[in-house]
Amino acid sequence: MKTIYECSQSKVIKWFTAIFFLIIIGSVLLVIYQASRGMDPTEPILVTALLLIVSVSCFFIFPLYIVADDEGIGVRMLLRTMRIPYENIDHIERVDEDNSLFCFTKAIRLFGVGGVFGLIGWFRAKGVGTFLSFVTDTKKVFLIYRVKGRPIAISVSEPDEFIPYYMKGGSK
């Protein structure tokens, strides 16, 4: 049986994303303004191109939904699905809302995105070590500890429905 869990974004993530896109729109307007005034638009064009590249890459890697089926758990992104077979899952833990994994004093972003579309990339936290994150809501986080490989952090819209499914069909 295949179950799909939506990865809805928290209000904070939505605000980060909206502000980021406002900055991109402002950069484009600055380039247009400088070009109309006869100024050299080289620097604003470079900044705008960099921001567009970052935003497009974020769009391709943010999690759309989590798929749980008889074979494993998958993180569905726009271009691909990253599969985690049940044989490779040691255990899954829900991260406590009050003791969030992603508060500023606990996790350090090593490489990735820290707000636009979610917290996506490689992070390091005390007690967990280095982990891969596909989190869109920091209050609904699960850590998937794998037998081989680093842990993976995911978030789902309905966390109370996710753990029973795993315990019923995918646990060892």
Side-chain angles (χ1 to χ4, degrees):
M1 183 173 140
K2 183 178 189 178
T3 308
I4 296 175
Y5 300 96
E6 186 180 337
C7 294
S8 63
Q9 296 175 342
S10 67
K11 288 181 183 180
V12 173
I13 298 297
K14 287 180 183 178
W15 273 105
F16 269 112
T17 305
I19 290 169
F20 181 77
F21 281 108
L22 286 174
I23 291 171
I24 288 177
I25 291 168
S27 297
V28 170
L29 292 175
L30 179 65
V31 168
I32 292 170
Y33 173 75
Q34 285 192 336
S36 70
R37 305 269 306 173
M39 302 169 128
D40 182 27
T42 306
E43 290 177 17
I45 285 176
L46 291 174
V47 169
T48 303
L50 181 65
L51 289 173
L52 286 172
I53 289 169
V54 168
S55 64
V56 168
S57 64
C58 293
F59 184 71
F60 286 126
I61 63 170
F62 88 96
L64 299 169
Y65 52 87
I66 305 297
V67 179
D69 56 22
D70 295 333
E71 295 157 11
I73 297 171
V75 179
R76 179 68 183 139
M77 295 167 267
L78 191 63
L79 294 179
R80 67 183 280 255
T81 301
M82 187 181 92
R83 303 283 306 159
I84 309 164
Y86 286 127
E87 302 85 49
N88 194 21
I89 296 175
D90 185 41
H91 66 283
I92 297 178
E93 288 181 6
R94 179 152 183 205
V95 177
D96 187 19
E97 287 182 36
D98 300 329
N99 195 10
S100 178
L101 184 64
F102 291 99
C103 73
F104 292 108
T105 59
K106 297 213 174 157
I108 298 171
R109 182 177 60 236
L110 301 175
F111 181 77
V113 181
V116 179
F117 294 117
L119 299 164
I120 306 160
W122 290 98
F123 289 78
R124 176 170 295 176
K126 254 185 195 171
V128 178
T130 303
F131 62 95
L132 182 59
S133 173
F134 293 101
V135 173
T136 57
D137 189 345
T138 57
K139 294 182 180 174
K140 301 174 182 176
V141 177
F142 289 94
L143 268 172
I144 302 173
Y145 289 93
R146 300 186 292 173
V147 175
K148 294 180 183 175
R150 303 210 184 253
I152 297 175
I154 61 170
S155 62
V156 295
S157 296
E158 300 297 330
D160 295 331
E161 294 175 10
F162 181 71
I163 279 291
Y165 180 88
Y166 169 73
M167 297 307 281
K168 179 176 59 174
S171 64
K172 294 181 183 179

